[in-house]
């Protein structure tokens, strides 16, 4: 084995001197179990037995990069004291699915604008704090900023908003902070929003400053109890399309901390295919024709 520390030298610049891909044996069951349990302890993400192939394919690129010859050696490395620390960020980037796009769940944005904001304003709010938990590359957070500028601010000129986007994967947060997107992300945006809220250069669409300055991004692991305790005082939380990666126990922990992070009278959205059934009964369920919002009463 070539140690991971030796492998990423300035000389090879992270580019493998030779390809190991064809030599790597399939991941043995005990290695998969050890890796899965390490990932679960760190993130709450649980890889079912049928997702072994996914882990293999994600990690194999890293093996090549580090010139490590087997999954066993790699797992030994990441479980070592120094490997645990050094590989943490890479693992977060490698194992997460970051699919997202602008205006992904339109009914939720409509409820946000037409029902939740008026209710919060009627309750006396002059500043709304919104959290896009598991923001990935930031499309949801920036969508909210655009809706605020386009629809909410004209109705409530003295209302202000603070949008915080958080994610566990450092790579996606770098994109989010730049506010630069490609065609894939903007596929669901109306030409009106595209023209008004982006500048385009060589196929790169950059969110205009007026929207970007309403949003900030931070690294946050939703499974980190201590960090989660610091996330408080939010009026609306969007925690969409991430609970599906957790097992029941981690879902309960995360949702309970999201509940604590909300102000009384605040709201939570989860993904279209996700449910709080068996996870939390603390919220009041608000049924809308095309989406559900959860209220902390
Ligand atoms: C499928 S994307 C969802 C993005 C966006 N919320 C949406 O609905 O379009 C899921 C995101 O959850 C993040 N994620 C997974 N586990 C996490 C954890 N424990 N803490 C914070 N973010 C996590 C991933 O990095 C990924 O960017």
């Amino acid at each position: 084995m070539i140690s991971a520390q030796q492998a990423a030298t300035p000389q090879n610049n992270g580019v493998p001197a030779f390809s190991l891909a064809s030599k790597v044996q399939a991941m043995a069951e005990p290695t998969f179990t050890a890796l899965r349990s390490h990932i679960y302890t760190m993130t709450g993400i649980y890889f079912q037995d049928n997702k072994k192939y996914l882990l293999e394919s994600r990690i194999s690129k890293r093996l090549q990069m580090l010139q490590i010859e087997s999954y066993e050696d790699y797992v030994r490395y990441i479980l070592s004291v120094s490997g645990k620390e050094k590989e943490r960020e890479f693992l977060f980037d490698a194992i997460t699915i970051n699919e997202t796009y602008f205006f992904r769940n339109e009914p939720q944005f409509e409820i946000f604008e037409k029902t939740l904001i008026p209710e919060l304003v009627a309750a006396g709010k002059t500043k709304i704090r919104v959290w896009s938990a598991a923001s990935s590359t930031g499309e949801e957070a920036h969508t909210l900023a655009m809706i605020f500028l386009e629809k909410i601010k004209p109705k409530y000129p003295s209302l202000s908003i603070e949008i915080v986007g958080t994610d566990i994967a450092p790579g996606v947060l770098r994109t989010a902070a730049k506010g630069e997107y490609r065609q894939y992300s903007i596929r669901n945006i109306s030409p009106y929003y595209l023209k008004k809220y982006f500048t385009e250069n060589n196929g790169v669409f950059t969110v205009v400053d007026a929207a970007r300055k309403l949003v900030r991004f931070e690294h946050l692991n939703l499974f980190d109890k201590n960090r989660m305790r610091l996330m408080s005082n939010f009026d609306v939380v969007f925690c969409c399309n991430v609970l599906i990666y957790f097992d029941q126990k981690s879902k309960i922990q995360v949702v309970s901390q999201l509940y604590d992070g909300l102000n009384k009278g605040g709201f939570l959205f989860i993904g279209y295919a996700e449910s709080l059934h068996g996870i939390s009964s603390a919220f009041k369920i608000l049924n809308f024709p095309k989406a559900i919002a959860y209220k902390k009463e």
Side-chain angles (χ1 to χ4, degrees):
M1 170 195 173
I2 300 166
S3 84
Q5 291 94 322
Q6 288 163 346
T9 63
Q11 283 73 29
N12 68 21
N13 203 18
V15 178
F18 56 94
S19 170
L20 290 164
S22 54
K23 296 184 192 168
V24 177
Q25 301 282 316
M27 193 184 288
E29 270 325 302
T31 309
F32 172 60
T33 310
L35 183 56
R36 160 164 83 184
S37 133
H38 177 60
I39 292 171
Y40 179 73
T41 311
M42 282 197 306
T43 67
I45 299 174
Y46 186 73
F47 280 84
Q48 305 282 353
D49 290 347
N50 63 1
K51 289 284 161 36
K52 178 154 102 63
Y53 78 93
L54 187 68
L55 262 188
E56 281 178 341
S57 92
R58 295 289 184 106
I59 304 288
S60 74
K61 294 190 194 99
R62 187 62 175 170
L63 258 61
Q64 284 192 50
M65 183 79 87
L66 298 175
Q67 299 187 10
I68 292 178
E69 290 180 15
S70 71
Y71 292 112
E72 284 62 41
D73 285 343
Y74 180 69
V75 170
R76 249 194 300 281
Y77 169 57
I78 62 165
L79 294 179
S80 69
V81 177
S82 71
K84 217 175 251 174
E85 202 47 47
K86 284 188 185 150
E87 280 298 285
R88 188 196 308 265
E89 296 206 342
F90 161 73
L91 259 189
F92 290 162
D93 280 336
I95 61 170
T96 52
I97 310 248
N98 313 110
E99 161 74 8
T100 186
Y101 50 92
F102 283 90
F103 291 87
R104 182 174 188 172
N105 194 333
E106 294 201 55
Q108 289 184 341
F109 296 126
E110 208 177 307
I111 294 164
F112 172 73
E113 175 218 329
K114 295 196 171 142
T115 307
L116 308 194
I117 293 287
E119 193 173 320
L120 290 164
V121 171
K125 287 269 166 193
T126 52
K127 180 177 185 178
I128 308 285
R129 292 191 77 229
V130 184
W131 178 13
S132 171
S135 64
S136 185
T137 31
E139 284 84 333
E140 182 179 81
H142 284 127
T143 299
L144 287 162
M146 292 172 196
I147 290 171
F148 179 78
L149 292 174
E150 185 64 29
K151 304 257 176 79
I152 299 171
K153 190 78 179 160
K155 259 194 237 162
Y156 307 104
S158 56
L159 188 67
S160 64
I161 195 165
E162 182 186 1
I163 302 166
V164 184
T166 64
D167 203 280
I168 195 172
V172 291
L173 287 171
R174 283 192 284 275
T175 301
K178 280 195 249 162
E180 291 178 355
Y181 299 95
R182 304 238 163 220
Q183 185 63 38
Y184 185 78
S185 290
I186 55 143
R187 65 189 186 275
N188 205 34
I189 292 194
S190 70
Y192 175 84
Y193 271 91
L194 197 56
K195 190 156 183 281
K196 187 161 175 187
Y197 292 101
F198 292 85
T199 54
E200 197 252 319
N201 189 10
N202 276 334
V204 178
F205 296 81
T206 306
V207 177
V208 295
D209 285 349
R212 282 183 59 201
K213 69 179 187 209
L214 301 178
V215 186
R216 71 186 154 82
F217 292 96
E218 287 173 16
H219 182 262
L220 177 86
N221 179 356
L222 293 169
F223 201 53
D224 181 337
K225 279 189 186 161
N226 294 329
R227 276 296 314 280
M228 284 290 280
R229 278 191 202 110
L230 304 177
M231 300 300 286
S232 61
N233 209 14
F234 287 97
D235 300 301
V236 186
V237 175
F238 287 77
C239 184
C240 301
N241 304 304
V242 63
L243 294 175
I244 32 167
Y245 302 109
F246 297 158
D247 73 345
Q248 184 85 351
K249 194 164 158 255
S250 27
K251 280 181 195 169
I252 291 172
Q253 175 187 312
V254 169
V255 171
S256 146
Q257 291 205 285
L258 293 177
Y259 182 88
D260 294 343
L262 277 168
N263 290 324
K264 208 158 174 275
F267 302 92
L268 168 70
F269 286 110
I270 58 175
Y272 179 68
E274 295 166 329
S275 155
L276 291 192
H277 183 72
I279 307 297
S280 170
S281 53
F283 292 92
K284 178 176 176 189
I285 299 175
L286 307 180
N287 278 301
F288 294 87
K290 290 188 183 158
I292 295 174
Y294 296 88
K295 182 172 184 183
K296 174 171 174 174
E297 287 198 307

